[in-house]
Amino acid sequence: MIIDAQGASHKEINERLRPTEGAVTLTGCCGQRFIAAGFSKGDITIEGVPGNALGAYLNGAQITVCGNAQDAVGDTMNGGKIVVHGNIGDAAGYAMRGGEIYVKGNAGYRAGIHMKEYKEKRPVLVIGGKCGSFLGEYQAGGIIIVLGLCDDGKKIVSNFPCTGMHGGKVYLRSDAEDIVFPSGVTASPATEEDMAEIEGYIAEYCKQFGADIKAVTDSRFTVVVPDSKNPYKQMYVAN
């Protein structure tokens, strides 16, 4: 089924998408926000550039974007999968609490900010390219993987990564020697056990985007974890 989004508001688009069953292709998308927000089912392919908060509160549906996406992809996402065959803007996976996001290219600032997890809910954000500043800011759970699969001479992640991090893990396909981490986190070479934890997610990335898994994994990885679950303890009068 094909739905033409040209000139339609996000409300009109979602009203047409919601009752559909099976695979749907959304054409002519140009900046409409909140597409598929809160959707629990469906397999949606988007041609064009969706606006902010694509898949916000997503609860089980799958979304594939054939090009780029704007800010706040998967905002407060609870389940499902978002696959972007291009780059994304800022705050991808904001407060994400479940599901998976795979991005072929680069991400802007604050990717994975406030990500969290609870029991079996463990969100995963995989960035194939590089990330801007404040990656994993205030991260409380989940897994962020940055593969750095672009040769542009820049660091795999820009300034202030993992600021305020107090849960979860960040994996960087790099020795991270050129990255300055804040106090309160530990960055160390990934072990075989660490790599086993993310092997399935890297395999899914390679499947989605046609990458060579051996070439991707044949590199040093760094894992970043918080030193404390309560990094702000010293700020309170009563400890």
Side-chain angles (χ1 to χ4, degrees):
M1 180 176 180
I2 298 175
I3 295 176
D4 186 1
Q6 187 171 359
S9 69
H10 74 273
K11 290 183 179 180
E12 292 170 331
I13 292 171
N14 285 338
E15 285 173 0
R16 295 180 67 185
L17 285 172
R18 192 167 283 109
T20 59
E21 296 183 1
V24 180
T25 298
L26 188 64
T27 64
C29 188
C30 187
Q32 291 97 335
R33 299 176 293 170
F34 309 117
I35 292 176
F39 277 32
S40 297
K41 60 182 181 179
D43 186 350
I44 304 165
T45 298
I46 298 176
E47 296 178 356
V49 180
N52 293 356
L54 169 71
Y57 303 101
L58 198 71
N59 201 35
Q62 175 161 327
I63 302 171
T64 301
V65 181
C66 296
N68 299 325
Q70 295 183 353
D71 297 342
V73 171
D75 185 344
T76 323
M77 180 176 172
N78 192 54
K81 183 184 293 184
I82 300 176
V83 178
V84 180
H85 287 258
N87 303 315
I88 54 174
D90 298 338
Y94 177 89
M96 185 182 177
R97 56 197 182 193
E100 300 173 9
I101 298 176
Y102 295 89
V103 180
K104 182 177 182 180
N106 301 319
Y109 294 165
R110 292 189 159 89
I113 180 174
H114 284 302
M115 278 178 64
K116 59 198 72 176
E117 66 182 81
Y118 180 68
K119 293 185 177 180
E120 77 283 356
K121 289 283 188 180
R122 193 181 197 190
V124 177
L125 172 61
V126 183
I127 306 296
K130 299 180 180 181
C131 292
S133 299
F134 297 103
L135 171 73
E137 185 179 30
Y138 306 122
Q139 184 180 352
I143 294 175
I144 300 173
I145 304 169
V146 185
L147 299 175
L149 298 174
C150 56
D151 187 15
D152 59 4
K154 297 181 180 179
K155 295 186 294 185
I156 193 169
V157 59
S158 193
N159 301 321
F160 316 115
C162 307
T163 298
M165 181 184 186
H166 54 284
K169 296 180 180 180
V170 172
Y171 287 88
L172 304 175
R173 183 174 170 271
S174 165
D175 58 21
E177 292 179 353
D178 57 350
I179 299 172
V180 178
F181 293 97
S183 60
V185 303
T186 296
S188 56
T191 64
E192 289 186 6
E193 183 178 349
D194 290 325
M195 294 305 297
E197 180 178 44
I198 62 172
E199 181 180 12
Y201 304 122
I202 295 177
E204 180 65 16
Y205 175 92
C206 293
K207 175 185 174 182
Q208 292 290 341
F209 304 118
D212 183 344
I213 189 168
K214 186 176 185 304
V216 173
T217 56
D218 188 18
S219 179
R220 286 181 290 181
F221 278 72
T222 297
V223 59
V224 187
V225 296
D227 292 337
S228 169
K229 292 184 178 180
N230 185 4
Y232 307 110
K233 182 177 181 181
Q234 69 276 11
M235 297 176 63
Y236 298 99
V237 174
N239 291 327

